[in-house]
Amino acid sequence: DIQMTQSPSSLSASVGDRVTITCQASQGIKKYLNWYRQKPGKPPELLIYDASSLEAGVPSRFSGSGSGTDFSFTISSLQPEDFATYYCLQYEDLPPFTFGPGTKVDFK
Amino acid sequence: EVRLVESGGGLVQPGGSLRLSCTASGFTFSNYWMTWVRQAPGKGLEWVANIKPDGSEKFYVDSVKGRFSISRDNARNSMYLQMNSLRAEDTAVYYCARDGTRYIYNPPHYWGQGTQVTVSS
């Protein structure tokens, strides 16, 4: 099975900061990676699909890049509602799919 | 508007069984793959199982193979997760999700609010 790692596991930031999270796959997954945001006590929300495509209705401050084994996710200007946990998910080939362990973004 | 509502969670003893339900509305249920994802307390997300629109194809994560069974009833716009031989490590919030449509096999797109399952004596 494909394993996913994320870094950092947590970070502290302020409103307006630029934040970048990385995700690495144990083998090549082409572009088949999603990014989700999960606010406390809520279900995840899809932000980015196919590594770099912005989901409809999602603000443009979110972006993603990468292919193969190395991916990154950036919030260009952190907003109060972005203090949450972020997960990557690989969906290359057959299920089961695997999530990264998550990155918690909290207030500095 | 896509709406997914999970039910059936609760407290169950180790070795026991539980059946979760997910009722869908706002879209043509019979056209979409559906997925269960779980989240243990204070932990990350774990993809659990998914099922093809006609129910003919199913996939499971290794940790639940042979114990959990996913099914659906398109006439009732519902998906189910039958969980047997439950263990303490199955304690989690279980989310129902509708998959995307770009490829043959797609990741979760829309999510329900989740239902809590607690396995404890």
Side-chain angles (χ1 to χ4, degrees):
Chain A
D1 289 356
I2 299 172
Q3 306 302 315
M4 306 300 293
T5 57
Q6 266 182 257
S7 61
S9 57
S10 66
L11 65 91
S12 297
S14 302
V15 172
D17 283 355
R18 182 181 182 88
V19 167
T20 297
I21 299 166
T22 63
C23 188
Q24 187 169 57
S26 60
Q27 63 190 69
I29 58 170
K30 305 181 184 72
K31 66 175 181 177
Y32 301 116
L33 185 101
N34 280 2
W35 290 97
Y36 299 87
R37 175 179 66 183
Q38 187 180 32
K39 299 174 185 176
K42 298 294 186 183
E45 310 165 73
L46 177 63
L47 302 177
I48 300 288
Y49 65 91
D50 290 351
S52 61
S53 296
L54 192 68
E55 170 65 7
V58 172
S60 60
R61 65 179 182 272
F62 297 103
S63 64
S65 65
S67 67
T69 59
D70 296 301
F71 300 85
S72 65
F73 170 81
T74 297
I75 308 172
S76 61
S77 177
L78 201 66
Q79 298 301 301
E81 60 268 32
D82 299 333
F83 291 94
T85 301
Y86 294 83
Y87 295 92
C88 61
L89 169 74
Q90 72 78 22
Y91 48 98
E92 198 273 343
D93 201 28
L94 292 174
F97 301 140
T98 42
F99 287 93
T103 297
K104 185 176 181 180
V105 177
D106 61 19
F107 288 100
K108 184 182 288 183
Chain B
E1 178 195 2
V2 173
R3 190 158 186 251
L4 302 166
V5 179
E6 303 92 338
S7 60
L11 174 63
V12 61
Q13 292 188 340
S17 298
L18 210 56
R19 188 196 196 208
L20 304 183
S21 298
C22 170
T23 302
S25 60
F27 63 100
T28 305
F29 181 74
S30 58
N31 287 350
Y32 291 88
W33 282 75
M34 297 293 295
T35 288
W36 288 100
V37 174
R38 68 183 178 182
Q39 186 169 34
K43 301 297 184 183
L45 300 167
E46 181 180 36
W47 187 98
V48 174
N50 72 349
I51 184 168
K52 194 174 182 177
D54 66 359
S56 64
E57 207 169 354
K58 306 171 186 180
F59 294 93
Y60 299 91
V61 69
D62 284 350
S63 58
V64 308
K65 278 181 185 174
R67 301 188 300 123
F68 289 13
S69 178
I70 190 172
S71 62
R72 65 191 295 161
D73 183 342
N74 288 341
R76 297 178 183 272
N77 288 344
S78 294
M79 174 179 67
Y80 308 100
L81 188 67
Q82 177 67 43
M83 303 186 296
N84 299 328
S85 303
L86 282 161
R87 307 165 180 166
E89 54 265 35
D90 296 318
T91 294
V93 173
Y94 284 73
Y95 294 103
C96 159
R98 192 192 89 175
D99 290 353
T101 56
R102 284 183 181 81
Y103 308 109
I104 298 173
Y105 304 109
N106 294 276
H109 189 157
Y110 295 101
W111 300 67
Q113 294 299 310
T115 186
Q116 175 70 50
V117 171
T118 302
V119 183
S120 174
S121 55

